[in-house]
Amino acid sequence: MPAIAHHFGTTLTRRQVTAGIAAAGAGLALARSVSFAQDASGTPAAGNIPTGAAAWTKFNLNAASNDQFLTIPGVGDKMLDEFNEYKPYSSILQFRKEIGKYVDDSEVSAYEAYLFVPVDPNTADSDTLQQLAGVSGDAADQLLSAVPYADDAAFLTVLGSVVSVDFAALAPQYLASTSATTATWVKFNLNSASDDQFLTIPGVGDKMHREFNEYKPYTSIGQFRQEIGKYVDDAQVAARERYIFVPVDPASADEATLQQLPGVSADDAG
C-alpha cells in the first residue's frame, strides 16, 4: 500500500487516511485528525459554517507562510519560490499570469483552490472580487458600479445585497484591511444541502438545482462531473464544483473523490 507523505513529518498510508476520514464522519474538510494541508492554518471558524456545509481553508498569497504554501498539492520548493517572487499580489489575475508561465491553466486553477489575493473593495477587478463566496460575474459588476466605497462597512452592505447571508459573513476574512494568513471557504454537501443553499451558488438557478437533485445520492465526484456535464461545459462544471462536495466513503471512494479532501494530491489518493 503506497504511503502518503505530508510536509509536517507525518507519513500516512491510504488505510490510515481513510480511517481518519471515517473517524471524522467522512465529510470533506471534517477529517481533522489526520495531517492534511489545512492543519497548517488551524481550524476554520465553525460559527461561519452553515448547516449542510464543510469548511475549507484558503491561504493568503501575501501573508501565508512557506510551510503553509508547501502543504498545497504540487507546490514544492521551486513553485514556492515563484509564489514568493511576485509578492505582493494586487489581483488574482496577476497570480494567474505569473504562475501560468510555469504550469498550465489546470494546474494554476488547482493551486488557486487553496489561495486568495486580499480584496481591496475600491481597486479590485472583477476576477478578484469573484474570489468572494457567492460573487458571480454579474454580482462583481454590481459591486464595481458602486465604487468608491467610503469604508469596508459600506462595501459589505452592498455585498450583502448580492450574496447570501452565510456567504456575506465570510467576506471580511478576504478583505485587504482585515485578512489574516488564512480565510474560510465553504462547500455544500451534494447529498444533504438544501435547495436554498444550492441556489446561492453562482450560475445555479432553478433548472440547475433540479439537475443537482435529480442524481442524488452521489457516490463520487466523477458522477457529478458526468451528469452536470450534460448541461454545461467543463469550465462551468468546475465553477460549480468550487462550492460542493460529495461525501467520502473511505471503503469505496475513488481517487478523484479522495482528492476532494484538502491537501490530497493524485499521488496521495493513489
Side-chain angles (χ1 to χ4, degrees):
M1 182 173 295
I4 299 178
H6 295 271
H7 293 282
F8 297 100
T10 302
T11 301
L12 304 175
T13 65
R14 174 167 171 154
R15 179 178 298 169
Q16 289 170 315
V17 168
T18 53
I21 299 166
L28 175 64
L30 303 181
R32 312 296 305 179
S33 61
V34 294
S35 183
F36 292 124
Q38 316 258 355
D39 290 342
S41 62
T43 305
N48 287 333
I49 308 305
T51 301
W56 182 275
T57 298
K58 292 199 172 197
F59 298 130
N60 181 334
L61 263 167
N62 291 338
S65 70
N66 289 346
D67 283 345
Q68 288 171 321
F69 288 144
L70 284 170
T71 64
I72 300 171
V75 175
D77 290 338
K78 182 180 185 304
M79 187 55 65
L80 174 65
D81 289 343
E82 304 306 339
F83 278 21
N84 287 324
E85 179 178 351
Y86 301 103
K87 289 181 178 177
Y89 293 87
S90 58
S91 74
I92 195 61
L93 290 174
Q94 180 191 358
F95 171 78
R96 294 170 186 167
K97 175 185 176 182
E98 301 299 355
I99 302 306
K101 297 173 181 176
Y102 309 101
V103 295
D104 64 26
D105 288 349
S106 64
E107 291 174 285
V108 173
S109 180
Y111 295 148
E112 195 175 319
Y114 291 88
L115 300 166
F116 73 97
V117 173
V119 176
D120 181 333
N122 283 323
T123 62
D125 56 35
S126 177
D127 287 81
T128 302
L129 287 169
Q130 287 177 66
Q131 296 178 115
L132 300 173
V135 176
S136 63
D138 288 344
D141 288 344
Q142 292 182 58
L143 293 169
L144 288 168
S145 71
V147 171
Y149 296 97
D151 51 29
D152 285 352
F155 172 76
L156 292 170
T157 296
V158 178
L159 179 69
S161 71
V162 296
V163 302
S164 71
V165 170
D166 287 329
F167 284 160
L170 299 173
Q173 302 170 87
Y174 291 83
L175 299 186
S177 63
T178 51
S179 63
T181 57
T182 63
T184 301
W185 185 262
V186 296
K187 295 194 175 193
F188 297 122
N189 183 332
L190 262 170
N191 290 337
S192 66
S194 69
D195 289 348
D196 285 345
Q197 288 173 322
F198 287 145
L199 287 169
T200 64
I201 298 172
V204 175
D206 290 338
K207 182 178 187 302
M208 183 56 65
H209 101 265
R210 287 196 295 270
E211 304 303 341
F212 278 20
N213 287 326
E214 180 178 348
Y215 301 102
K216 289 182 179 178
Y218 292 87
T219 58
S220 72
I221 194 62
Q223 180 190 359
F224 171 79
R225 294 169 184 167
Q226 176 183 344
E227 300 298 354
I228 302 307
K230 297 174 182 176
Y231 309 101
V232 294
D233 63 26
D234 289 348
Q236 291 172 297
V237 173
R240 288 152 178 76
E241 196 175 319
R242 292 175 64 206
Y243 291 88
I244 60 88
F245 72 97
V246 173
V248 176
D249 181 341
S252 62
D254 58 25
E255 291 185 12
T257 302
L258 285 170
Q259 287 178 68
Q260 296 178 113
L261 295 166
V264 176
S265 67
D267 288 342
D268 295 339

